[in-house]
Amino acid sequence: MKRPVINLQFRPTMELLSPMRDFVAELFKSHWMSEDVVYRIVVTLHELLENVMKYSTDGVAHLSADLAQADRETILCLRVSNECMPERLSTLQGEFDSMRKGADANSYYTALMQKNAYRTDGSGLGLARIWAEAQMNISCEIAGSKATIVAQTPVEPVAATP
Amino acid sequence: MTSLEIAAIKQPGFSADAQQGAASAITVHLAGAADGLAHPHLDKYLKELHREACRVGAAEVNVDVSALHFINSSCLMLFVAWLMCLRDLEARKQYRVVLAAGTKQQRRAFDVLANVAAGLVVIQ
């Protein structure tokens, strides 16, 4: 199978996110993925890129998408990296610690929605949504001031690579 | 029921429009993408919708999201805030919210609201 790769470095803006969603959807839809998987990818990348816009120190996102074979499964791996302020790295670590302690993705997502209902500085929901609604295995790698969010899921290509 | 007074939203990538129907029901159609660009408009709109639903004594607000092809988490939270306001009303003043999804993905996005505000919202 030919491996689809996205490897982009850019500055996401509100105006760029819509064409970005369309690009990602078309890329994965036309080549390999079911409509449902495409939707999950779009939700994941949108939420991660919005986080870059909010928390990056330089506004630059590095986005990559790749497929790998593992134990007869095809695993889609999405990675979004950006430079962060130290306080954001600490918040991010805290969010992943909370998710790890959560009973399951849907309960955690629902509880977080209720907890953040009156929050005024953003929803604080993006990562939990990726875990619950987009059904991704999500993790965080921190190296110096750079945070990389990794979202992975098994996928089943619906057609042969053109 | 007195007549509904809520201005429609017609933005390039997002629109919202409400009509008053029979039997104390309001129907709202949302279309496009509810993302960061739509957020301030949707925020204002849902607050006005809640005020109007209370003012006209609506028993039900039907929200058709079948033409809404994307919603981000911040806009989803606007629905949560709306439902929390609804939950905080006296029981006799509460109305039912019915969210009509057209696709499996839309249903998945909105399903969580039924857990957040159990008994007040139905996802169809």
Side-chain angles (χ1 to χ4, degrees), chain A residues 14-15 21 35-36 39-40 42-43 46-47 50 109-110 113-114 116-118 123 125-126 129 133 135, chain B residues 33 35-37 69-74 76-77 80-81 84 87-88 104-105 108-109 112-113 115-116:
Chain A
M14 290 284 188
E15 290 73 18
R21 288 196 303 270
E35 196 178 331
D36 194 54
Y39 170 80
R40 292 165 51 208
V42 166
V43 166
H46 180 99
E47 296 294 347
E50 273 202 347
Y109 184 41
T110 302
M113 262 193 172
Q114 289 165 326
N116 292 357
Y118 299 104
S123 71
L125 273 188
R129 186 183 189 202
E133 186 189 326
Q135 299 172 346
Chain B
D35 57 11
L37 295 172
H69 58 77
F70 184 78
I71 183 163
N72 71 358
S73 56
S74 301
L76 260 179
M77 280 303 275
V80 175
M84 294 297 107
R87 192 189 62 179
D88 292 345
K104 177 182 167 184
Q105 291 77 32
R108 182 186 292 163
V112 65
L113 298 179
N115 300 328
V116 169

Side-chain angles (χ1 to χ4, degrees), chain B:
Chain B
M1 199 157 70
T2 55
S3 63
L4 195 63
E5 291 171 15
I6 181 166
I9 301 174
K10 291 191 195 305
Q11 291 293 313
F14 177 71
S15 66
D17 194 19
Q19 287 103 36
Q20 194 168 348
S24 307
I26 295 170
T27 299
V28 181
H29 295 276
L30 299 181
D35 57 11
L37 295 172
H39 185 274
H41 305 288
L42 183 63
D43 185 20
K44 186 168 171 246
Y45 191 83
L46 291 181
K47 285 172 181 161
E48 281 179 14
L49 178 63
H50 177 63
R51 269 197 299 272
E52 281 297 287
C54 292
R55 187 181 66 81
V56 303
E60 188 167 291
V61 175
N62 297 293
V63 185
D64 178 2
V65 295
S66 60
L68 191 69
H69 58 77
F70 184 78
I71 183 163
N72 71 358
S73 56
S74 301
C75 288
L76 260 179
M77 280 303 275
L78 297 176
F79 280 86
V80 175
W82 172 28
L83 294 172
M84 294 297 107
C85 290
L86 177 56
R87 192 189 62 179
D88 292 345
L89 290 176
E90 291 172 47
R92 67 185 176 85
K93 292 183 178 171
Q94 287 178 345
Y95 52 89
R96 192 168 86 124
V97 174
V98 180
L99 283 156
T103 65
K104 177 182 167 184
Q105 291 77 32
Q106 287 164 341
R107 192 181 168 82
R108 182 186 292 163
F110 286 97
D111 256 352
V112 65
L113 298 179
N115 300 328
V116 169
L120 295 173
V121 60
V122 175
I123 316 294
Q124 288 182 340

Side-chain angles (χ1 to χ4, degrees), chain A residues 123-153:
Chain A
S123 71
L125 273 188
L127 297 173
R129 186 183 189 202
I130 292 167
W131 187 30
E133 186 189 326
Q135 299 172 346
M136 296 277 177
N137 293 317
I138 184 168
S139 59
C140 176
E141 297 166 2
I142 292 175
S145 58
K146 187 166 90 172
T148 301
I149 308 297
V150 184
Q152 298 183 84
T153 185

